[in-house]
Amino acid sequence: MSEFLKTNPRFLKSCILYNTMSMDTVETKISLADPEQKSLMNMPVSLIFKIAGSLDPVERTVLRTVNKDIKNVADSLPPVYESMSITWGRFNSLLWKFNKNPTKHSGKGKLEKLSKIPGFKVNNLRLRSNQRISRTIFDPPETKLCDVLPEDSFLNAKNVDICVATLNDAIQLLSIAKPGDLESIRLWPLQSSEREHFSRFFETEQFKKSKNVEILSLQGFNPEVLLTFSHLKSFKIKLSGDFVEEDFLRIREMISKFEKFEKCELRIVSGFQIRNICEALGIKTPGGPLKSITHRYQIPGYDKSLEFKIDGGGPSILMKIVRIC
């Protein structure tokens, strides 16, 4: 048991923390106590559970090798983690860590083993890339993400947050998450302009089965893209292009027909001011400066309505739409 503690410093640190002992005291006890006193089984059960609960699944795997009783303790703890971060490194390696634990793990073929832990789930999965589009002679040789990713989706994640350089990287990293359990996707602005290729992202099973999507695009999309979001409960996107007044009527008509729709936020860059948009939608406006207005639209044939809150005053318009029952 003393050998296990010596080779697992984070577990030893937990023992010190929860027992309020100094490192010297613990090391003295390890070296001087008899074998019976060195056993973890002398600790209170509640303390063992508390220490094991502070370990991530990789560290807990090591704990399972101590003995049968400690293995049962490790296996009894639900492997559900608030957050997990996976980063694709410059040397074509995947690094991952859990919650606020600073310990990073790596190793080809090890990440997908987490899927074999019964009940393993992550509430918030952060996917990052340290790769850059522009390269210099000092950079390592160009690598491919597909070379280090498992072939199949394997992580049960509720929410996914993606920040990478290219759309291709985003799609490949998103493939880590199983589509069935995924509820929300957030995609941060890409370093390259790939609006015309976003159809590949929309074709992923993860997008099709998600409920909430936020795409923080710098360039924005044409209004027609809204039809792609018809299966969602909520979404946030940027719309841009050569708008005409009829486009705002089409936006309202499309969203009113989304069966699962609850709310959305549209950042619209169109050249139209808030008063122009209100006129296009048939909304009466007061005289004088207009920076914000709220309007309720009754959905034809239903006892439900859409509430529009439109804020302007700058180069873009923020339109928040909520379905009211």
Side-chain angles (χ1 to χ4, degrees):
M1 186 60 220
S2 61
E3 188 63 30
F4 171 80
L5 291 176
K6 290 177 180 177
T7 56
N8 291 271
R10 217 174 85 80
F11 187 84
L12 179 58
K13 183 178 179 181
S14 298
C15 293
I16 297 169
L17 175 64
Y18 294 120
N19 281 295
T20 62
M21 293 182 185
S22 67
M23 178 67 80
D24 292 338
T25 303
V26 174
E27 290 177 343
T28 300
K29 286 183 175 291
I30 290 175
S31 61
L32 298 180
D34 60 48
E36 182 64 27
Q37 290 175 319
K38 294 175 188 175
S39 174
L40 260 182
M41 304 316 295
N42 285 340
M43 288 186 181
V45 174
S46 59
L47 179 58
I48 296 176
F49 271 94
K50 196 168 186 179
I51 294 173
S54 70
L55 305 178
D56 66 40
V58 179
E59 295 167 329
R60 206 174 287 173
T61 298
V62 179
L63 187 63
R64 295 172 75 249
T65 64
V66 176
N67 59 42
K68 184 177 180 180
D69 292 326
I70 299 301
K71 176 181 179 297
N72 291 337
V73 169
D75 290 344
S76 68
L77 296 169
V80 179
Y81 293 85
E82 182 59 28
S83 65
M84 179 180 181
S85 177
I86 301 177
T87 302
W88 178 34
R90 295 177 63 197
F91 294 93
N92 211 28
S93 61
L94 290 177
L95 304 175
W96 63 95
K97 61 181 182 178
F98 300 88
N99 296 340
K100 296 181 180 180
N101 184 350
T103 303
K104 292 183 179 181
H105 305 285
S106 63
K108 188 173 182 180
K110 293 182 179 181
L111 185 59
E112 54 266 43
K113 290 183 179 179
L114 295 173
S115 62
K116 299 179 181 179
I117 301 176
F120 180 84
K121 292 183 179 180
V122 176
N123 287 331
N124 299 292
L125 177 62
R126 299 174 71 250
L127 302 174
R128 299 292 185 263
S129 169
N130 287 336
Q131 304 287 335
R132 295 185 305 224
I133 294 179
S134 59
R135 302 178 59 81
T136 70
I137 60 174
F138 301 104
D139 288 326
E142 188 171 1
T143 55
K144 295 182 179 180
L145 179 57
C146 59
D147 293 338
V148 292
L149 280 179
E151 293 184 1
D152 301 316
S153 303
F154 63 93
L155 276 184
N156 293 317
K158 184 177 180 181
N159 308 303
V160 172
D161 186 286
I162 308 172
C163 184
V164 294
T166 68
L167 182 62
N168 188 57
D169 292 349
I171 293 173
Q172 290 189 74
L173 280 174
L174 181 60
S175 70
I176 290 175
K178 287 184 177 181
D181 295 320
L182 185 58
E183 293 186 9
S184 301
I185 301 173
R186 175 188 288 168
L187 178 61
W188 291 86
L190 304 170
Q191 293 182 22
S192 60
S193 176
E194 300 184 74
R195 184 171 73 172
E196 63 275 14
H197 302 302
F198 246 89
S199 58
R200 293 169 48 230
F201 180 83
F202 297 144
E203 290 168 0
T204 64
E205 287 300 309
Q206 287 79 3
F207 175 81
K208 291 179 180 179
K209 295 185 178 180
S210 61
K211 299 176 182 177
N212 313 285
V213 172
E214 181 177 359
I215 300 178
L216 304 171
S217 169
L218 296 177
Q219 187 176 8
F221 300 93
N222 293 321
E224 290 78 9
V225 79
L226 285 176
L227 291 174
T228 312
F229 294 76
S230 61
H231 66 290
L232 299 170
K233 288 185 176 181
S234 70
F235 54 89
K236 295 182 182 180
I237 59 170
K238 180 179 180 180
L239 301 178
S240 64
D242 297 325
F243 276 63
V244 295
E245 290 187 356
E246 289 75 14
D247 286 328
F248 298 102
L249 291 171
R250 289 173 54 233
I251 289 173
R252 186 175 67 182
E253 181 181 359
M254 282 188 286
I255 292 178
S256 67
K257 295 178 181 179
F258 293 171
E259 295 183 0
K260 298 179 181 180
F261 176 81
E262 294 181 0
K263 62 180 180 179
C264 74
E265 287 188 16
L266 306 177
R267 176 68 65 179
I268 303 175
V269 181
S270 63
F272 283 78
Q273 298 300 312
I274 184 171
R275 194 177 295 278
N276 305 126
I277 296 175
C278 290
E279 291 174 358
L281 294 174
I283 303 173
K284 294 181 179 181
T285 59
L290 185 63
K291 293 185 178 181
S292 178
I293 194 167
T294 300
H295 165 70
R296 184 167 293 190
Y297 169 73
Q298 183 69 43
I299 301 176
Y302 293 88
D303 57 353
K304 300 175 182 178
S305 60
L306 296 178
E307 183 180 84
F308 288 74
K309 184 178 180 182
I310 307 173
D311 294 313
S316 65
I317 298 293
L318 179 61
M319 183 180 292
K320 297 181 180 180
I321 308 173
V322 179
R323 185 165 66 178
I324 308 295
C325 298

